[in-house]
Amino acid sequence: MVQSNGQAGKSKRVDVMKTYKLYIDGKFPRTESGRYYILKNSDGDTIANVCKSSRKDFREAVVAARKAQHGWASKSAYNKGQILYRIAEMLESRKAQFVAELVSQGCSESSANAEVNHSIDRLVYYAGWSDKYQQVFSSVNPVESSHFNFSVPEPTGVVAILSPENFGLIGLVSTIAPAIVGGNTVIILASTALPLTAITFAEVLNSSDVPGGVVNILTGERSELLSHFANHMDVNAVVYCGDDAGEIKKIQELASLNVKRPLIYSKDDWMKDDSQNPYRIMDLQEIKTTWHPIGQ
């Protein structure tokens, strides 16, 4: 090709396509299985190759989450709230990228804008609750003896989450935020149909002072990973988002094997304020009661 100035022009450069990986222990590994699935847009064009996580990937994520849990739970409520607010700040600064990814997966631009805005607001909402839910849900208990008796919420531990299939970002944020603000660590499986924003959200987490292992994000087929999420013996609770009766029954049966707490969110409209409240934090808390003698 010859340009108007008579010099040979450079050939069109090749785009550097983003490779969507997993997020485990604060790092971005490829799946150990080497398997991927192809994500296409509404025109049938390939827009990404997405990691198909394996059982081993899930196990490594559980190890990372367990290792990080005590340190994360030990951080002050004020500090956890600051970090959640920082996630919201970083998400705000990359808003255009998230909107573009949602649009590329089939959302209209107005819907994508609304979903990203709601996601930012939801993070701020739970950041605000970080140092308040303990006061609301703790109690000093009347007892018929010379003891001081009080109950306080404490994190359940490691939580496995099967995120909503119909929302790629707000579903992810709405399940991660109440879990980690309460001191839990999580392993979450992103929507199989809308996975792009999950790994981009991991990049936001990675630059938001969230310690490695607190949030671990996998992509892949829900049907392959569901049983691993539900029956792993070092997971303390499993959150299922969806309304498939067969999957819900399987989750409940497998979770019972080690008395794991199953939480089913089947009718939520994640875009509405009804799906955010401090009880979502308490869903993943244990109540610890302490007795202290007085006047003896």
Side-chain angles (χ1 to χ4, degrees):
M1 177 180 175
V2 178
Q3 294 180 336
S4 57
N5 60 9
Q7 296 182 356
K10 293 181 179 179
S11 60
K12 185 181 177 182
R13 65 182 293 275
V14 177
D15 291 338
V16 179
M17 298 294 290
K18 181 176 179 178
T19 303
Y20 289 83
K21 305 182 184 74
L22 308 179
Y23 185 59
I24 299 174
D25 200 16
K27 304 177 184 67
F28 293 89
R30 292 176 170 81
T31 172
E32 64 82 28
S33 70
R35 299 179 306 152
Y36 293 81
Y37 67 97
I38 296 172
L39 189 69
K40 296 187 176 183
N41 62 18
S42 56
D43 295 328
D45 301 322
T46 298
I47 55 175
N49 292 318
V50 182
C51 286
K52 192 179 280 189
S53 301
S54 67
R55 183 176 190 176
K56 187 170 187 298
D57 293 322
F58 176 69
R59 285 173 169 171
E60 289 177 354
V62 173
V63 170
R66 179 58 66 192
K67 185 177 67 176
Q69 201 275 320
H70 178 71
W72 176 246
S74 300
K75 286 185 179 296
S76 69
Y78 182 66
N79 190 205
K80 287 197 283 282
Q82 285 179 314
I83 291 174
L84 256 76
Y85 192 82
R86 174 68 176 163
I87 300 170
E89 285 180 332
M90 297 303 294
L91 187 53
E92 180 85 44
S93 69
R94 295 179 62 168
K95 185 177 168 182
Q97 181 183 3
F98 280 92
V99 169
E101 287 189 339
L102 289 170
V103 169
S104 73
Q105 295 174 108
C107 286
S108 66
E109 188 159 349
S110 60
S111 296
N113 268 304
E115 183 169 345
V116 177
N117 287 337
H118 273 77
S119 300
I120 296 166
D121 293 348
R122 194 144 298 166
L123 285 163
V124 173
Y125 174 86
Y126 282 112
W129 271 105
S130 183
D131 58 354
K132 299 175 184 65
Y133 75 88
Q134 302 92 337
Q135 301 167 57
V136 174
F137 294 102
S138 295
S139 64
V140 176
N141 310 310
V143 291
E144 190 66 24
S145 64
S146 55
H147 292 85
F148 183 64
N149 181 292
F150 56 96
S151 300
V152 296
E154 291 197 341
T156 294
V158 174
V159 179
I161 304 171
L162 295 144
S163 70
E165 274 294 308
N166 53 346
F167 288 101
L169 182 61
I170 186 72
L172 201 77
V173 169
S174 299
T175 48
I176 289 176
I180 66 173
V181 79
N184 300 289
T185 54
V186 304
I187 307 103
I188 185 164
L189 178 63
S191 165
T192 305
L194 306 168
L196 297 192
T197 47
I199 297 304
T200 306
F201 185 67
E203 295 170 2
V204 168
L205 295 171
N206 202 46
S207 56
S208 303
D209 300 329
V210 180
V214 172
V215 180
N216 304 275
I217 301 179
L218 305 182
T219 54
E221 299 286 349
R222 176 180 282 207
S223 57
E224 282 187 18
L225 296 167
L226 183 140
S227 61
H228 306 320
F229 273 61
N231 68 11
H232 194 292
M233 291 297 176
D234 201 26
V235 170
N236 303 105
V238 56
V239 177
Y240 173 86
C241 303
D243 55 8
D244 185 299
E247 290 182 344
I248 292 172
K249 184 171 185 290
K250 191 172 185 178
I251 288 274
Q252 291 171 330
E253 289 177 349
L254 292 175
S256 69
L257 297 178
N258 72 333
V259 202
K260 187 189 281 94
R261 181 184 300 184
L263 290 170
I264 310 297
Y265 299 138
S266 59
K267 302 295 182 186
D268 286 71
D269 182 344
W270 300 99
M271 293 291 285
K272 292 187 175 178
D273 288 347
D274 291 348
S275 62
Q276 64 178 28
N277 59 67
Y279 292 99
R280 291 293 169 96
I281 303 173
M282 291 306 296
D283 282 346
L284 295 168
Q285 298 287 297
E286 309 288 343
I287 297 297
K288 178 181 179 181
T289 296
T290 300
W291 292 70
H292 184 75
I294 54 175
Q296 295 180 1

